[in-house]
Amino acid sequence: MSQQTLPTRTAPGNVRPGAPAREAPPHRPGLALAIVLTCQLMLILDATVMNVALPRIQSDLGFTAAGLSWVMTAYSLTFGGLLLLGGRIGDIFGRRRAFVAGVALFTAASLVGGFATSATWLIAARLAQGVGAALAGPNTIALVTTTFTETKARIRALALLSGIASAGFAIGLILGGILTQAASWRWVLFVNVPFGIAAVLLAPRFVREPERHPARLDIPGALTATAGVAALVAGFTRAAEEGWSDPWTATLLGGGVLLVAGFLAIEARTRQPMLPLRLFADRNRAAAYAIFLLGPAAMMSMFFFLTQFLQDLRGFDALRTGVAFLPMAAAMFVLTRAMPRILPKFGPRRLALTGIPVMIAGLLWTTQLTASTAYFPGVFGPMLLMGLGMGLGFVPLTPTIMANVPAQDAGAAGGAMQTMQQTGASLGLAVLVTVFGTASRHAASSGSSTLDATIHGMTTAFTVAAGFAAIALLVATTFRKR
């Protein structure tokens, strides 16, 4: 398949000779950052905000137990699979324009999803949300890097953006619990609408459009990347439902591996790739990308399985479940605020080598859960450790990745970062749901009660999640010492 050549557009700051100049938005970087951060939080929230509402969604719309994971996976899959394409579209057509268009689509899909009357309807809306998020997400990072050019200001802005991206997962659970309990699970989607409309109206007024760069849209790369990740997630999800002996499971997983390999081959020989492999030439950036893949794969177990543990086994309602994640969100918020001071002092290597072991300790603690485990300290403790570990280990990664990225690659670099995060989350959840299903079925066939089999499946999934984090720790040792 050949690449499609797109016409070069002119940025507001680079008007063609003889064309009337358009007045640039007033330079208010603080307000521009607030708009971008609010939208980034909104996009990240929707990766987990549905978690605490899952029991009610399952009851109202008739989801199967395994199919219920698609409420989260449908969003993270399209979000992660199309991020690289969204970043490149922003580079070509204008990052602010792509950002506004993505937020508009995300907002419209949220409104439609809130009125869903069937499982298919809701999943279709979640897929559309993911497409909008993929268009807006990578351009939030590119807009920040072009708005803040002074080093300290850029580190501060990127640390805030990274903190929002990490803490947003936990904040989503808290907000989801409040809205589900106070109103309905539908308001978990409706709440996006006013914020999305405000961003669409305010961004053209206060966020400046960076210079555009002539390029080609890498259609073959976009298709193979998205299809490959989708096939892998579908394969793991089918294994959870049908087992590893199912022929479709092997077909999907094998096809996914081949498609991802094909994507890398295309990117290596394409003149203007969607994912420039030169981004991985910097050792620190390559390590940060790998940790962004492995970290979310590990922490999704906390959000998905602990939500079910608290609601189904400990009898928490939606509000109590959401508030239960407050220690994790608070720890990450505190570290996010401190990161602009401690990152230049200690560097990403020391912070990652400190934070990831704390995260592993939290995951290993959850492997000791039983049906009688009380919230304090049996759940509170692991959540606090996870919040501290993720704050130290992951918040520094965004400034590390975006440091010294050429302007023409800012969208691609930001898209690659969020691709790793969302792909790790969707693949990690698919793998862990498969591990949970296999372990719980094995325990049930060995004579364990349904309750004991469920607990065994969860603790086995937490053990595998700790393994993901351990690999991330090994990767962190490759950061340069200075």
Side-chain angles (χ1 to χ4, degrees), residues 87-110:
R88 183 54 76 191
I89 287 174
D91 289 339
I92 298 170
F93 289 109
R95 291 166 188 156
R96 189 186 66 192
R97 179 178 293 181
F99 170 75
V100 171
V103 172
L105 176 57
F106 177 89
T107 303
S110 298

Side-chain angles (χ1 to χ4, degrees), residues 166 169 294-303 359 386 390 421:
S166 300
F169 288 111
L294 294 162
M299 68 185 184
M300 282 306 291
S301 64
M302 296 288 288
F303 304 129
M359 179 180 171
M386 284 291 290
M390 289 188 292
Q421 184 181 45

Side-chain angles (χ1 to χ4, degrees), residues 313 436 440 443-444 447-457:
L313 302 181
F436 166 80
S440 56
S448 298
S449 65
T450 301
L451 178 60
D452 289 339
T454 300
I455 292 291
H456 176 70

Side-chain angles (χ1 to χ4, degrees), residues 56-133:
R56 297 192 184 188
I57 293 173
Q58 184 177 18
S59 175
D60 287 354
L61 302 184
F63 277 94
T64 64
L68 194 62
S69 65
W70 277 102
V71 176
M72 279 83 65
T73 301
Y75 177 73
S76 58
L77 180 62
T78 47
F79 191 179
L82 296 174
L83 271 165
L84 293 173
L85 182 61
R88 183 54 76 191
I89 287 174
D91 289 339
I92 298 170
F93 289 109
R95 291 166 188 156
R96 189 186 66 192
R97 179 178 293 181
F99 170 75
V100 171
V103 172
L105 176 57
F106 177 89
T107 303
S110 298
L111 180 63
V112 171
F115 291 106
T117 58
S118 67
T120 303
W121 182 338
L122 180 60
I123 289 177
R126 293 286 282 169
L127 290 169
Q129 277 187 304
V131 174

Side-chain angles (χ1 to χ4, degrees), residues 25 70 85 172 396 399 422 433 446 473:
W70 277 102
L85 182 61
Q422 294 299 324
V433 167
S446 300
L473 180 61

Side-chain angles (χ1 to χ4, degrees), residues 11-25:
N14 298 288
V15 182
R16 297 188 191 95
R22 288 184 290 174
E23 183 179 353

Side-chain angles (χ1 to χ4, degrees), residues 284-286 288-289 292 396-405 413-414 417:
N284 275 10
R285 188 182 298 123
Y289 276 140
F292 249 124
L397 298 182
T398 299
T400 301
I401 288 172
M402 299 306 294
N404 304 320
V405 171
M417 184 184 75

Side-chain angles (χ1 to χ4, degrees), residues 280 282-292 397 472 475-479:
F280 296 87
D282 181 88
R283 193 170 82 187
N284 275 10
R285 188 182 298 123
Y289 276 140
I291 296 172
F292 249 124
L397 298 182
V475 172
T477 63
T478 67
F479 278 121

